[in-house]
């Protein structure tokens, strides 16, 4: 490795690993429109270009996000910290001031930093990329800074071409005189957005097309289900999974154009590609909601892909089966690959470099427990004048070891005596025999429940935020509040 590598982080926002072909590479099965429990996901050609990268890289088979939605999960990816440490959540919408991100540290090391993001919560109300990162997609200078992607998105259109073409335009004039750090966010997997031909018809049948037309408002489908206004049938679940596959294939197509351009410009060998996601989606694996993500903390939402490709550094492609890897490990891994001291630059951070997995036959986990959490948006929604439904009132927590996973929740604002106010509102799953978390065994194992719950609080004891009075809660004026409500609605977080 003669020079510092270029680094491109590609986020398949809402991307699940079990819908990518490279996560099924050891299962040689014919193409099928059906979901295979044995294979663990769709056995269809959804990601040929990503698979090509994975064949010559390192694929981490079991990676867990620290949170089920955009802001806290990205903050963990960018800082190597857990949500209770970086404190980016529904109250703050930003990383705690004073904490440095990957963009801060690498620009200090001479990197040129750019971003193209279709998920505009990352740039507004607060810019998570920092002042030294150039946002390549045009920004409308209103209050607060809002990408024009927000107002120009249309449910009849797609944004993957815009993200890819914007970055390709940048690469055309990239002189490679300084190492590059680039972040790309593809948002089309969310239900609001469509997929053009030929991708749509490759996965969605004519009958499925008609079902989608009959629904019309896919954007609010999960809210309607939670409010008992619609019933999600098995046939509809199949169609929506097909639709998800079509959009994944479309994103993969445009990623292929980026990969080809990197090769043509001779940037391929000295570029570290990190392909991942911030969270997945329920996609029919659970109910109410059967689709969406921020209202649950099951592994259908928390499990994310992580693929690393760097020809000048990764000499032996492999799949890593080590459990309990988390997205907090991405930042220190990148730092070590760049030859930077992780202990000095990230003192006390729980994220662990995964570089040893690249070159050694390691199957051990980097930690004994993986944790995830998200606070309830209830206080925030009330502050902006949004009526709060019962689905919003939960703070969600999860802790898992190699065999068991505990989920528990609470709400400081839940009515006294309600189910959510009970301290024993929890779920326990045996992940060895119940990977999709369908059979709650908490009542049979009270001692294990107590042990895991205490361990979660031990691991997060540094948390200082009060749910009732967040130390650094966001405070918008009337104009900013209206813009944020519009943005959250466009992105699918509000009705």
């Amino acid at each position: 490795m003669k020079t510092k590598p270029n680094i491109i982080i590609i986020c398949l926002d809402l991307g699940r690993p079990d819908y990518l072909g490279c996560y099924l590479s050891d299962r040689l099965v014919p193409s099928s429109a059906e979901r295979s429990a044995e294979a663990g996901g769709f056995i269809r050609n959804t990601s040929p270009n990503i698979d090509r990268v994975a064949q010559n890289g390192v694929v981490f088979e079991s990676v867990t996000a620290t949170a089920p939605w955009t802001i806290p999960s990205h903050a963990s990816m960018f800082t190597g910290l857990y949500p209770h440490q970086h404190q980016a959540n529904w109250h703050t919408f930003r990383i705690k001031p004073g904490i440095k991100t990957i963009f801060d540290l690498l620009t200090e090391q001479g990197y040129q930093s750019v971003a193209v993001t279709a998920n505009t919560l990352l740039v507004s109300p607060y810019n998570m990329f920092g002042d030294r990162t150039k946002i390549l997609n045009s920004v409308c200078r209103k209050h607060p800074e809002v990408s024009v992607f927000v107002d120009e998105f249309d449910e009849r259109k797609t944004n993957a071409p815009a993200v890819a073409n914007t970055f390709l335009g940048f690469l055309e004039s990239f002189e490679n005189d300084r190492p590059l750090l680039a972040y790309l966010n593809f948002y089309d997997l969310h239900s609001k957005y469509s997929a053009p031909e030929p991708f749509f018809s490759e996965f969605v049948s004519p009958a499925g097309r008609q079902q989608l037309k009959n629904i019309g408002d896919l954007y609010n489908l999960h809210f309607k289900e939670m409010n008992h206004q619609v019933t999600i049938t098995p046939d509809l679940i199949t169609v929506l999974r097909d639709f998800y596959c079509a959009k994944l294939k479309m994103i993969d197509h445009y990623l292929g154009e980026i990969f080809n351009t990197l090769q043509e410009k001779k940037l391929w060998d000295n570029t570290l590609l990190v392909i991942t996601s911030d969270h997945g989606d329920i996609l029919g694996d659970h109910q109410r909601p059967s689709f969406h993500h921020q209202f649950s903390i099951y592994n259908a939402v928390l499990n994310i892909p992580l693929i690393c490709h760097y020809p000048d550094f990764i000499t032996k492609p492999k799949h890593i089966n080590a459990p309990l890897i988390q997205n907090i490990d991405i930042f220190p891994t990148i730092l070590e690959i760049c030859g930077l001291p992780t202990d000095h630059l990230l003192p006390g951070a729980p994220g662990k470099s995964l570089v040893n997995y690249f070159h050694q036959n390691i199957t051990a986990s980097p930690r004994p427990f993986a944790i995830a959490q998200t606070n309830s948006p209830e206080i925030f929604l009330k502050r902006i004048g949004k009526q709060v439904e019962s689905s919003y009132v939960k703070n969600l927590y999860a802790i898992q070891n190699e065999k068991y996973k505990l989920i528990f929740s609470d709400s400081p604002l839940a009515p006294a005596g309600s189910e959510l106010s009970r301290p024993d509102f929890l779920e326990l799953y045996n992940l060895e025999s119940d990977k999709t978390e369908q059979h709650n065994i908490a009542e049979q194992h009270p001692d294990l429940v107590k042990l895991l719950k205490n361990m979660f609080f031990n691991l997060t004891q540094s948390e200082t935020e009060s749910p009732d009075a967040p130390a650094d809660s966001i405070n918008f004026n009337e104009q900013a509040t209206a813009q944020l409500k519009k943005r959250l609605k466009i992105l699918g977080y509000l009705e």
Side-chain angles (χ1 to χ4, degrees):
M1 186 168 54
K2 297 180 180 179
T3 61
K4 290 181 180 178
N6 299 310
I7 301 161
I8 302 176
I9 302 171
I10 297 169
C11 180
L12 309 174
D13 205 306
L14 206 77
R16 283 179 52 159
D18 53 349
Y19 283 72
L20 297 173
C22 55
Y23 278 83
L24 306 173
S25 60
D26 59 339
R27 303 173 181 92
L28 300 178
V29 291
S31 177
S32 170
E34 297 180 354
R35 198 165 193 263
S36 167
E38 292 76 17
F42 277 98
I43 47 179
R44 304 163 79 176
N45 186 26
T46 56
S47 53
N49 292 297
I50 294 174
D51 299 344
R52 174 166 56 92
V53 169
Q55 286 175 356
N56 296 291
V58 174
V59 178
F60 290 92
E61 295 277 359
S62 180
V63 182
T64 305
T66 62
W69 72 286
T70 296
I71 293 295
S73 184
H74 271 88
S76 288
M77 187 194 316
F78 293 165
T79 66
L81 300 174
Y82 283 117
H84 71 276
Q85 297 171 312
H86 60 61
Q87 297 184 18
N89 54 43
W90 280 108
H91 296 321
T92 65
F93 279 81
R94 64 176 174 181
I95 296 168
K96 183 180 178 180
I99 295 176
K100 288 191 174 183
T101 69
I102 187 172
F103 305 99
D104 297 322
L105 289 182
L106 289 188
T107 53
E108 290 174 359
Q109 298 294 322
Y111 271 78
Q112 176 183 358
S113 181
V114 301
V116 188
T117 175
N119 189 331
T120 52
L121 286 179
L122 298 175
V123 294
S124 176
Y126 294 108
N127 182 356
M128 196 172 284
F129 303 104
D131 296 335
R132 297 181 178 181
T133 296
K134 182 177 181 180
I135 311 299
L136 296 180
N137 42 293
S138 301
V139 173
C140 179
R141 297 291 177 180
K142 296 179 181 178
H143 177 78
E145 291 185 359
V146 183
S147 160
V148 296
F149 279 176
V150 172
D151 296 323
E152 293 184 356
F153 277 169
D154 188 302
E155 61 266 25
R156 297 166 298 177
K157 298 180 180 179
T158 60
N159 58 66
V163 172
N165 290 333
T166 299
F167 186 60
L168 289 172
F170 167 80
L171 287 179
E172 286 302 314
S173 58
F174 177 59
E175 297 181 356
N176 201 24
D177 55 339
R178 286 193 295 156
L180 172 67
L181 170 62
Y183 170 85
L184 310 179
N185 178 286
F186 291 85
Y187 199 75
D188 296 81
L189 291 175
H190 290 71
S191 60
K192 178 184 174 85
Y193 305 105
S194 188
E197 298 295 352
F199 311 108
F200 189 93
S201 293
E202 181 179 351
F203 296 94
V204 182
S205 68
R209 181 190 294 267
Q210 188 59 49
Q211 276 191 276
L212 293 175
K213 286 184 177 180
N214 292 342
I215 296 170
D217 186 14
L218 286 177
Y219 166 72
N220 277 318
L221 184 62
H222 59 287
F223 288 114
K224 292 179 179 178
E225 182 190 11
M226 287 188 294
N227 295 328
H228 302 281
Q229 296 171 349
V230 66
T231 299
I232 305 296
T233 65
D235 285 346
L236 181 55
I237 288 174
T238 297
V239 172
L240 290 172
R241 287 170 173 166
D242 291 345
F243 191 37
Y244 181 93
C245 285
K247 294 186 285 187
L248 182 56
K249 182 67 173 284
M250 175 193 64
I251 294 171
D252 180 84
H253 169 80
Y254 288 103
L255 286 177
E257 293 187 358
I258 292 173
F259 300 156
N260 290 338
T261 298
L262 291 172
Q263 291 173 317
E264 291 169 2
K265 293 185 67 66
K266 301 188 184 306
L267 300 172
W268 188 249
D269 289 346
N270 193 43
T271 293
L272 168 63
L273 287 176
V274 178
I275 302 173
T276 187
S277 178
D278 53 348
H279 54 76
D281 191 282
I282 292 295
L283 285 179
D285 288 350
H286 298 271
Q287 296 180 333
R288 296 195 66 244
S290 299
F291 300 90
H292 222 263
H293 55 93
Q294 81 264 30
F295 305 108
S296 79
I297 205 162
Y298 295 115
N299 281 346
V301 171
L302 294 181
N303 286 349
I304 57 173
L306 179 56
I307 303 163
C308 298
H309 179 275
Y310 182 11
D312 278 357
F313 187 79
I314 298 173
T315 58
K316 184 179 180 181
K318 61 168 63 175
H319 282 234
I320 307 295
N321 292 309
L324 307 180
I325 290 170
Q326 297 205 256
N327 58 345
I328 55 173
D329 302 325
I330 294 174
F331 187 3
T333 300
I334 292 174
L335 287 182
E336 183 169 352
I337 289 175
C338 292
L340 300 174
T342 58
D343 292 341
H344 173 69
L345 295 175
L346 298 176
K352 307 294 183 183
S353 172
L354 304 175
V355 168
N356 285 341
Y357 291 92
F358 292 9
H359 305 300
Q360 302 176 32
N361 293 323
I362 302 175
T363 58
S365 169
R367 56 184 54 83
F369 298 94
I371 61 174
Q373 66 186 108
T374 182
N375 67 323
S376 167
E378 181 177 11
I379 298 173
F380 164 75
L381 293 172
K382 285 187 173 182
R383 185 182 298 133
I384 66 173
K386 182 68 181 175
Q387 182 178 357
V388 179
E389 302 290 344
S390 61
S391 307
Y392 289 115
V393 301
K394 291 187 286 188
N395 300 314
L396 295 171
Y397 315 98
I399 180 170
Q400 67 184 72
N401 59 19
E402 295 186 21
K403 183 174 182 179
Y404 292 102
K405 177 180 175 182
L406 175 68
I407 297 173
F408 62 103
S409 54
D410 62 48
S411 172
L413 301 185
S418 70
E419 187 178 43
L420 287 175
S421 69
R422 289 165 33 202
D424 59 340
F425 185 77
L426 43 81
E427 303 168 62
L428 179 70
Y429 298 100
N430 183 331
L431 298 178
E432 289 183 350
S433 59
D434 184 20
K435 291 183 179 180
T436 59
E437 299 162 288
Q438 303 295 324
H439 306 290
N440 184 3
I441 58 173
E443 290 187 1
Q444 294 95 302
H445 300 276
D447 291 341
L448 180 57
V449 167
K450 182 179 179 180
L451 174 67
L452 290 173
K453 196 170 184 180
N454 287 339
M455 182 57 66
F456 179 90
F457 287 121
N458 288 338
L459 291 171
T460 60
Q461 62 184 350
S462 62
E463 186 166 5
T464 58
E465 178 189 358
S466 166
D468 295 298
D472 192 26
S473 60
I474 198 165
N475 186 20
F476 291 134
N477 61 28
E478 184 176 348
Q479 178 188 12
T481 296
Q483 289 189 16
L484 181 59
K485 287 170 69 175
K486 178 181 179 182
R487 186 173 309 108
L488 289 168
K489 184 174 180 179
I490 290 173
L491 294 174
Y493 285 96
L494 295 179
E495 290 182 84

